[in-house]
Amino acid sequence: MTHWIFSYKEEDFRLDECLGDLGFVEWRQTRNVEVGDIVYMYCSTKGKQIITYKMLVEKINIPKSECVDDSKYENPSYVPPKTGFFFRIRPQFRKVVTAALSLRSLRQFCGEKSCMQGGKKIEGEYVQYVDKFFKNN
């Protein structure tokens, strides 16, 4: 099992609303995720920059033509990918909002150096640090 961080912007896609309605989301597959992997969703919206969800990969390699239509959660100015493959992820816990999962804290406690664009594999103490905030949720 691999642990990943993928980012989203609230101004592009209303992830909270989508998960509330559908219970899952199909995300653009830009990395070699596998069924059973864990994905932490990082909100990269300016002023937030925080991990908010722990999700489980349920299905991979979904062609765009077979994806659930989630266009109603996209903001009008957002241009979604029209081709490629997607993976289905489902939250394992309620949304978590804590400063301990902010980019500043991830830099301080986990040595995070990136600005969290795209998908990023994490392991070891980084996973242990992030995961503890979802244990009692």
Side-chain angles (χ1 to χ4, degrees), residues 11 15 26 48-50 81 85 87 101 110 113 116 124:
E11 59 267 27
L15 181 62
E26 291 168 340
K48 294 196 176 179
Q49 299 173 309
I50 190 167
F85 290 94
F87 62 99
L101 291 175
C110 303
K113 293 176 177 48
M116 302 292 220

Side-chain angles (χ1 to χ4, degrees), residues 4-8 27 30-31 40 42 115-120:
W4 302 89
I5 296 176
F6 280 83
S7 64
Y8 70 99
W27 210 252
T30 57
R31 301 287 187 257
Y40 298 100
Y42 172 82
C115 59
M116 302 292 220
Q117 299 298 315
K120 174 189 175 115

Side-chain angles (χ1 to χ4, degrees), residues 94-106:
R94 288 182 290 118
K95 181 178 181 177
V96 169
V97 178
T98 174
L101 291 175
S102 69
L103 183 56
R104 173 177 278 168
S105 293
L106 296 175

Side-chain angles (χ1 to χ4, degrees):
M1 171 181 25
T2 303
H3 292 77
W4 302 89
I5 296 176
F6 280 83
S7 64
Y8 70 99
K9 289 184 178 178
E10 290 177 331
E11 59 267 27
D12 291 339
F13 188 82
R14 294 183 309 279
L15 181 62
D16 294 347
E17 191 178 332
C18 177
L19 293 174
D21 290 348
L22 302 176
F24 65 88
V25 67
E26 291 168 340
W27 210 252
R28 178 75 186 262
Q29 192 169 322
T30 57
R31 301 287 187 257
N32 292 323
V33 297
E34 298 290 336
V35 171
D37 283 359
I38 298 295
V39 172
Y40 298 100
M41 294 301 287
Y42 172 82
C43 178
S44 62
T45 298
K46 188 174 181 176
K48 294 196 176 179
Q49 299 173 309
I50 190 167
I51 291 175
T52 55
Y53 287 101
K54 178 181 180 179
M55 317 262 262
L56 179 67
V57 177
E58 293 186 334
K59 189 175 180 181
I60 60 173
N61 301 325
I62 306 167
K64 177 67 175 169
S65 61
E66 295 177 18
C67 284
V68 170
D69 180 9
D70 59 8
S71 59
K72 76 177 193 175
Y73 307 107
E74 297 166 0
N75 290 325
S77 62
Y78 176 66
V79 179
K82 295 184 180 3
T83 61
F85 290 94
F86 293 74
F87 62 99
R88 181 176 293 168
I89 48 180
R90 186 177 302 275
Q92 297 303 289
F93 296 92
R94 288 182 290 118
K95 181 178 181 177
V96 169
V97 178
T98 174
L101 291 175
S102 69
L103 183 56
R104 173 177 278 168
S105 293
L106 296 175
R107 286 183 170 151
Q108 180 180 357
F109 297 109
C110 303
E112 179 59 55
K113 293 176 177 48
S114 75
C115 59
M116 302 292 220
Q117 299 298 315
K120 174 189 175 115
K121 190 183 295 190
I122 62 170
E123 52 193 8
E125 291 180 8
Y126 200 145
V127 171
Q128 291 173 357
Y129 176 82
V130 172
D131 204 52
K132 70 184 176 185
F133 297 99
F134 292 93
K135 294 289 185 199
N136 296 318
N137 181 347

